[in-house]
Amino acid sequence: MPAELLRRRPDVRSAELIAAAQCARIGVAKANLYPSFSLLGTIGLESSSGAGKPFSVSPGDSLFYTFGPRIRCPSSTTAA
């Protein structure tokens, strides 16, 4: 078939891949127009040892955690 022979050509295959990559870039650009939401957090153990205190890490006294949301809104810039 002539259409199948045309698709086998390296220059046609290259152009097809370039067009697919451009379509993917358009999708990424569209997604960047919307705000993004994420949850961040940290959990761990910390110890405080001062003068005369032995070094101790007991889960009841030294457990810490932080968490919270992050919202990113796209900036509204216009090209002149």
Side-chain angles (χ1 to χ4, degrees), residues 5 11 16-17 25-27 29 34 38 40 43 45-46 50 54 56 59-60 67 72 75 79:
L5 290 175
D11 58 335
E16 187 178 14
L17 290 174
R25 287 188 189 111
I26 290 170
Y34 299 104
S38 58
L40 304 172
I43 188 168
L45 296 172
E46 63 184 5
S56 171
F67 63 93
R72 286 187 163 183
S75 61

PDB file of all heavy atoms in Angstrom, residues 5 11 16-17 25-27 29 34 38 40 43 45-46 50 54 56 59-60 67 72 75 79:
ATOM      1  N   LEU A   5       3.933   2.584   2.763  1.00  0.00           N
ATOM      2  CA  LEU A   5       5.294   2.869   2.315  1.00  0.00           C
ATOM      3  C   LEU A   5       5.705   4.294   2.681  1.00  0.00           C
ATOM      4  O   LEU A   5       6.852   4.545   3.048  1.00  0.00           O
ATOM      5  CB  LEU A   5       5.412   2.668   0.795  1.00  0.00           C
ATOM      6  CG  LEU A   5       5.341   1.222   0.304  1.00  0.00           C
ATOM      7  CD1 LEU A   5       5.334   1.182  -1.219  1.00  0.00           C
ATOM      8  CD2 LEU A   5       6.510   0.436   0.849  1.00  0.00           C
ATOM      9  N   ASP A  11      12.019  10.503   7.166  1.00  0.00           N
ATOM     10  CA  ASP A  11      11.648  11.905   7.328  1.00  0.00           C
ATOM     11  C   ASP A  11      10.185  12.052   7.744  1.00  0.00           C
ATOM     12  O   ASP A  11       9.838  12.922   8.546  1.00  0.00           O
ATOM     13  CB  ASP A  11      11.939  12.698   6.052  1.00  0.00           C
ATOM     14  CG  ASP A  11      11.217  12.151   4.830  1.00  0.00           C
ATOM     15  OD1 ASP A  11      10.887  10.942   4.832  1.00  0.00           O
ATOM     16  OD2 ASP A  11      10.987  12.925   3.882  1.00  0.00           O
ATOM     17  N   GLU A  16       6.320  12.998  12.191  1.00  0.00           N
ATOM     18  CA  GLU A  16       5.215  12.508  13.015  1.00  0.00           C
ATOM     19  C   GLU A  16       5.573  12.575  14.500  1.00  0.00           C
ATOM     20  O   GLU A  16       4.758  12.984  15.330  1.00  0.00           O
ATOM     21  CB  GLU A  16       4.888  11.075  12.612  1.00  0.00           C
ATOM     22  CG  GLU A  16       3.673  10.503  13.272  1.00  0.00           C
ATOM     23  CD  GLU A  16       3.366   9.095  12.792  1.00  0.00           C
ATOM     24  OE1 GLU A  16       4.223   8.458  12.147  1.00  0.00           O
ATOM     25  OE2 GLU A  16       2.260   8.631  13.089  1.00  0.00           O
ATOM     26  N   LEU A  17       6.801  12.205  14.854  1.00  0.00           N
ATOM     27  CA  LEU A  17       7.242  12.280  16.248  1.00  0.00           C
ATOM     28  C   LEU A  17       7.341  13.720  16.739  1.00  0.00           C
ATOM     29  O   LEU A  17       7.002  14.018  17.882  1.00  0.00           O
ATOM     30  CB  LEU A  17       8.582  11.565  16.410  1.00  0.00           C
ATOM     31  CG  LEU A  17       8.527  10.048  16.273  1.00  0.00           C
ATOM     32  CD1 LEU A  17       9.941   9.461  16.313  1.00  0.00           C
ATOM     33  CD2 LEU A  17       7.668   9.445  17.354  1.00  0.00           C
ATOM     34  N   ARG A  25       3.461  19.139  24.446  1.00  0.00           N
ATOM     35  CA  ARG A  25       3.817  20.441  25.018  1.00  0.00           C
ATOM     36  C   ARG A  25       2.595  21.335  25.172  1.00  0.00           C
ATOM     37  O   ARG A  25       2.485  22.095  26.132  1.00  0.00           O
ATOM     38  CB  ARG A  25       4.871  21.123  24.155  1.00  0.00           C
ATOM     39  CG  ARG A  25       6.227  20.503  24.285  1.00  0.00           C
ATOM     40  CD  ARG A  25       7.290  21.318  23.567  1.00  0.00           C
ATOM     41  NE  ARG A  25       8.528  20.570  23.533  1.00  0.00           N
ATOM     42  CZ  ARG A  25       9.067  20.048  22.442  1.00  0.00           C
ATOM     43  NH1 ARG A  25       8.468  20.213  21.275  1.00  0.00           N
ATOM     44  NH2 ARG A  25      10.185  19.376  22.505  1.00  0.00           N
ATOM     45  N   ILE A  26       1.669  21.243  24.243  1.00  0.00           N
ATOM     46  CA  ILE A  26       0.435  22.021  24.345  1.00  0.00           C
ATOM     47  C   ILE A  26      -0.364  21.562  25.558  1.00  0.00           C
ATOM     48  O   ILE A  26      -0.913  22.367  26.311  1.00  0.00           O
ATOM     49  CB  ILE A  26      -0.405  21.892  23.052  1.00  0.00           C
ATOM     50  CG1 ILE A  26       0.294  22.637  21.908  1.00  0.00           C
ATOM     51  CG2 ILE A  26      -1.815  22.416  23.249  1.00  0.00           C
ATOM     52  CD1 ILE A  26      -0.313  22.387  20.547  1.00  0.00           C
ATOM     53  N   GLY A  27      -0.408  20.248  25.797  1.00  0.00           N
ATOM     54  CA  GLY A  27      -1.115  19.724  26.961  1.00  0.00           C
ATOM     55  C   GLY A  27      -0.503  20.198  28.263  1.00  0.00           C
ATOM     56  O   GLY A  27      -1.211  20.541  29.210  1.00  0.00           O
ATOM     57  N   ALA A  29       1.229  22.981  28.665  1.00  0.00           N
ATOM     58  CA  ALA A  29       0.942  24.412  28.782  1.00  0.00           C
ATOM     59  C   ALA A  29      -0.492  24.650  29.250  1.00  0.00           C
ATOM     60  O   ALA A  29      -0.741  25.545  30.062  1.00  0.00           O
ATOM     61  CB  ALA A  29       1.183  25.103  27.439  1.00  0.00           C
ATOM     62  N   TYR A  34      -4.044  26.047  35.199  1.00  0.00           N
ATOM     63  CA  TYR A  34      -4.895  25.757  36.348  1.00  0.00           C
ATOM     64  C   TYR A  34      -4.073  25.732  37.638  1.00  0.00           C
ATOM     65  O   TYR A  34      -2.882  25.427  37.615  1.00  0.00           O
ATOM     66  CB  TYR A  34      -5.588  24.408  36.158  1.00  0.00           C
ATOM     67  CG  TYR A  34      -6.479  24.376  34.946  1.00  0.00           C
ATOM     68  CD1 TYR A  34      -6.091  23.716  33.790  1.00  0.00           C
ATOM     69  CD2 TYR A  34      -7.702  25.024  34.953  1.00  0.00           C
ATOM     70  CE1 TYR A  34      -6.905  23.691  32.666  1.00  0.00           C
ATOM     71  CE2 TYR A  34      -8.524  25.002  33.838  1.00  0.00           C
ATOM     72  CZ  TYR A  34      -8.127  24.338  32.705  1.00  0.00           C
ATOM     73  OH  TYR A  34      -8.934  24.322  31.594  1.00  0.00           O
ATOM     74  N   SER A  38      -1.236  20.481  46.578  1.00  0.00           N
ATOM     75  CA  SER A  38      -0.434  19.375  47.096  1.00  0.00           C
ATOM     76  C   SER A  38      -0.409  19.434  48.611  1.00  0.00           C
ATOM     77  O   SER A  38      -0.674  20.469  49.213  1.00  0.00           O
ATOM     78  CB  SER A  38       0.990  19.427  46.534  1.00  0.00           C
ATOM     79  OG  SER A  38       1.607  20.646  46.863  1.00  0.00           O
ATOM     80  N   LEU A  40       1.976  18.698  51.935  1.00  0.00           N
ATOM     81  CA  LEU A  40       3.363  18.567  52.348  1.00  0.00           C
ATOM     82  C   LEU A  40       3.409  18.134  53.800  1.00  0.00           C
ATOM     83  O   LEU A  40       2.530  18.482  54.587  1.00  0.00           O
ATOM     84  CB  LEU A  40       4.095  19.906  52.201  1.00  0.00           C
ATOM     85  CG  LEU A  40       4.058  20.542  50.823  1.00  0.00           C
ATOM     86  CD1 LEU A  40       4.635  21.939  50.877  1.00  0.00           C
ATOM     87  CD2 LEU A  40       4.836  19.703  49.851  1.00  0.00           C
ATOM     88  N   ILE A  43       7.903  14.330  59.314  1.00  0.00           N
ATOM     89  CA  ILE A  43       7.793  13.677  60.606  1.00  0.00           C
ATOM     90  C   ILE A  43       9.193  13.198  60.981  1.00  0.00           C
ATOM     91  O   ILE A  43       9.976  12.821  60.123  1.00  0.00           O
ATOM     92  CB  ILE A  43       6.793  12.505  60.576  1.00  0.00           C
ATOM     93  CG1 ILE A  43       6.555  11.965  61.972  1.00  0.00           C
ATOM     94  CG2 ILE A  43       7.230  11.418  59.630  1.00  0.00           C
ATOM     95  CD1 ILE A  43       5.384  11.010  62.068  1.00  0.00           C
ATOM     96  N   LEU A  45      12.263  12.607  64.580  1.00  0.00           N
ATOM     97  CA  LEU A  45      12.663  12.635  65.980  1.00  0.00           C
ATOM     98  C   LEU A  45      13.762  13.669  66.145  1.00  0.00           C
ATOM     99  O   LEU A  45      14.640  13.793  65.293  1.00  0.00           O
ATOM    100  CB  LEU A  45      13.190  11.264  66.422  1.00  0.00           C
ATOM    101  CG  LEU A  45      12.211  10.108  66.402  1.00  0.00           C
ATOM    102  CD1 LEU A  45      12.945   8.803  66.675  1.00  0.00           C
ATOM    103  CD2 LEU A  45      11.123  10.320  67.423  1.00  0.00           C
ATOM    104  N   GLU A  46      13.705  14.412  67.232  1.00  0.00           N
ATOM    105  CA  GLU A  46      14.775  15.358  67.517  1.00  0.00           C
ATOM    106  C   GLU A  46      15.177  15.199  68.979  1.00  0.00           C
ATOM    107  O   GLU A  46      14.408  14.729  69.814  1.00  0.00           O
ATOM    108  CB  GLU A  46      14.348  16.791  67.222  1.00  0.00           C
ATOM    109  CG  GLU A  46      13.210  17.299  68.057  1.00  0.00           C
ATOM    110  CD  GLU A  46      12.767  18.692  67.656  1.00  0.00           C
ATOM    111  OE1 GLU A  46      13.266  19.238  66.667  1.00  0.00           O
ATOM    112  OE2 GLU A  46      11.897  19.214  68.347  1.00  0.00           O
ATOM    113  N   GLY A  50      21.823  19.108  76.613  1.00  0.00           N
ATOM    114  CA  GLY A  50      22.565  20.270  77.073  1.00  0.00           C
ATOM    115  C   GLY A  50      23.681  19.843  78.013  1.00  0.00           C
ATOM    116  O   GLY A  50      24.026  18.661  78.103  1.00  0.00           O
ATOM    117  N   PRO A  54      22.248  13.661  79.499  1.00  0.00           N
ATOM    118  CA  PRO A  54      22.670  12.597  78.577  1.00  0.00           C
ATOM    119  C   PRO A  54      21.902  12.724  77.259  1.00  0.00           C
ATOM    120  O   PRO A  54      20.789  13.240  77.212  1.00  0.00           O
ATOM    121  CB  PRO A  54      22.306  11.318  79.305  1.00  0.00           C
ATOM    122  CG  PRO A  54      21.193  11.704  80.220  1.00  0.00           C
ATOM    123  CD  PRO A  54      21.458  13.151  80.601  1.00  0.00           C
ATOM    124  N   SER A  56      19.536  11.665  74.596  1.00  0.00           N
ATOM    125  CA  SER A  56      18.393  10.760  74.667  1.00  0.00           C
ATOM    126  C   SER A  56      17.425  11.068  73.534  1.00  0.00           C
ATOM    127  O   SER A  56      17.139  12.217  73.248  1.00  0.00           O
ATOM    128  CB  SER A  56      17.675  10.938  76.002  1.00  0.00           C
ATOM    129  OG  SER A  56      16.463  10.237  75.997  1.00  0.00           O
ATOM    130  N   PRO A  59      10.765   8.426  71.920  1.00  0.00           N
ATOM    131  CA  PRO A  59       9.685   8.841  71.035  1.00  0.00           C
ATOM    132  C   PRO A  59       8.648   9.749  71.684  1.00  0.00           C
ATOM    133  O   PRO A  59       8.073  10.597  71.024  1.00  0.00           O
ATOM    134  CB  PRO A  59       9.053   7.532  70.593  1.00  0.00           C
ATOM    135  CG  PRO A  59      10.090   6.502  70.808  1.00  0.00           C
ATOM    136  CD  PRO A  59      10.921   6.979  71.961  1.00  0.00           C
ATOM    137  N   GLY A  60       8.411   9.613  72.969  1.00  0.00           N
ATOM    138  CA  GLY A  60       7.395  10.436  73.609  1.00  0.00           C
ATOM    139  C   GLY A  60       7.795  11.892  73.720  1.00  0.00           C
ATOM    140  O   GLY A  60       6.964  12.786  73.591  1.00  0.00           O
ATOM    141  N   PHE A  67       2.611  19.461  58.881  1.00  0.00           N
ATOM    142  CA  PHE A  67       1.923  19.154  57.638  1.00  0.00           C
ATOM    143  C   PHE A  67       1.068  20.345  57.242  1.00  0.00           C
ATOM    144  O   PHE A  67       0.750  21.200  58.057  1.00  0.00           O
ATOM    145  CB  PHE A  67       1.064  17.888  57.748  1.00  0.00           C
ATOM    146  CG  PHE A  67      -0.056  17.998  58.734  1.00  0.00           C
ATOM    147  CD1 PHE A  67      -1.308  18.404  58.334  1.00  0.00           C
ATOM    148  CD2 PHE A  67       0.142  17.696  60.074  1.00  0.00           C
ATOM    149  CE1 PHE A  67      -2.350  18.513  59.243  1.00  0.00           C
ATOM    150  CE2 PHE A  67      -0.886  17.789  60.987  1.00  0.00           C
ATOM    151  CZ  PHE A  67      -2.135  18.200  60.577  1.00  0.00           C
ATOM    152  N   ARG A  72      -0.697  26.405  44.464  1.00  0.00           N
ATOM    153  CA  ARG A  72       0.023  27.254  43.513  1.00  0.00           C
ATOM    154  C   ARG A  72      -0.950  27.753  42.456  1.00  0.00           C
ATOM    155  O   ARG A  72      -1.608  26.967  41.773  1.00  0.00           O
ATOM    156  CB  ARG A  72       1.142  26.491  42.835  1.00  0.00           C
ATOM    157  CG  ARG A  72       2.323  26.248  43.696  1.00  0.00           C
ATOM    158  CD  ARG A  72       3.401  25.644  42.851  1.00  0.00           C
ATOM    159  NE  ARG A  72       4.665  25.774  43.550  1.00  0.00           N
ATOM    160  CZ  ARG A  72       5.799  25.394  43.055  1.00  0.00           C
ATOM    161  NH1 ARG A  72       5.848  24.862  41.855  1.00  0.00           N
ATOM    162  NH2 ARG A  72       6.907  25.534  43.733  1.00  0.00           N
ATOM    163  N   SER A  75       0.476  32.647  37.527  1.00  0.00           N
ATOM    164  CA  SER A  75       0.512  34.117  37.479  1.00  0.00           C
ATOM    165  C   SER A  75      -0.206  34.570  36.213  1.00  0.00           C
ATOM    166  O   SER A  75      -0.166  33.924  35.180  1.00  0.00           O
ATOM    167  CB  SER A  75       1.951  34.612  37.465  1.00  0.00           C
ATOM    168  OG  SER A  75       2.624  34.128  36.339  1.00  0.00           O
ATOM    169  N   ALA A  79       1.244  38.657  27.350  1.00  0.00           N
ATOM    170  CA  ALA A  79       2.308  39.022  26.399  1.00  0.00           C
ATOM    171  C   ALA A  79       1.865  40.244  25.612  1.00  0.00           C
ATOM    172  O   ALA A  79       0.727  40.369  25.198  1.00  0.00           O
ATOM    173  CB  ALA A  79       2.586  37.854  25.464  1.00  0.00           C
TER     174      ALA A  79
END
